[in-house]
Amino acid sequence: MKTLLIAMLGAGIVFQTLPETPATHNNVGAVLADTTKKDPETGLIVDENLYMVKAQCTNCHSTKLITANRFTRDGWKQKIRWMQANHNLWELGDAEKPVLDYLEKNYSPTASVARRAPLKDIKWYKLEQN
């Protein structure tokens, strides 16, 4: 038991001293985000429709509300309708399509690496200690 603990501690020390690189980084999303060009003023992803999102969305709320959420195109449209019904958001008219295009392209749900499925039919045994 002591040998296992010492080995685990030793491995932890080695891993802690390794430099952080994309290959050893645990947060894959952060590595990918580093390659995406961001608008310095808003923190939003730079895109041809960014100007329209800035004009329509940042008058009332922070861009952090955008970056903190991920919706499908329909989900973003529902949020716009909710803001129109509950928070006096104006009709976007011709601006709605480029706003939705931008949000769908840059802030849609992303596939994430999930944990493995739980183990099934495990046969447990009693571990004898020396």
Side-chain angles (χ1 to χ4, degrees):
M1 187 70 173
K2 287 182 183 178
T3 305
L4 178 62
L5 181 60
I6 292 170
M8 289 173 59
L9 288 173
I13 292 169
V14 170
F15 288 130
Q16 288 178 359
T17 59
L18 289 175
E20 191 171 299
T21 64
T24 61
H25 197 288
N26 290 334
N27 189 348
V28 175
V31 172
L32 295 176
D34 290 344
T35 62
T36 304
K37 188 173 179 186
K38 301 280 180 90
D39 177 51
E41 181 183 5
T42 63
L44 294 174
I45 296 171
V46 174
D47 181 280
E48 66 271 6
N49 291 320
L50 173 61
Y51 72 95
M52 191 64 74
V53 172
K54 287 169 80 171
Q56 300 298 323
C57 303
T58 62
N59 286 317
C60 297
H61 60 74
S62 166
T63 57
K64 290 181 182 183
L65 281 176
I66 297 169
T67 59
N69 290 286
R70 297 257 175 197
F71 300 110
T72 62
R73 183 182 192 91
D74 188 52
W76 283 114
K77 192 172 188 174
Q78 289 175 17
K79 292 298 173 195
I80 290 170
R81 296 295 177 262
W82 178 81
M83 287 182 274
Q84 289 170 333
N86 297 296
H87 294 284
N88 299 319
L89 175 63
W90 51 88
E91 291 294 325
L92 299 182
D94 292 339
E96 185 169 281
K97 184 184 181 317
V99 167
L100 288 172
D101 289 347
Y102 175 87
L103 294 171
E104 178 182 32
K105 178 180 176 185
N106 297 298
Y107 295 98
S108 287
T110 57
S112 62
V113 178
R115 296 181 66 171
R116 64 164 171 72
L119 298 174
K120 298 177 183 176
D121 303 323
I122 299 172
K123 294 181 181 178
W124 296 98
Y125 61 91
K126 184 173 182 178
L127 181 62
E128 300 293 328
Q129 294 183 359
N130 293 335

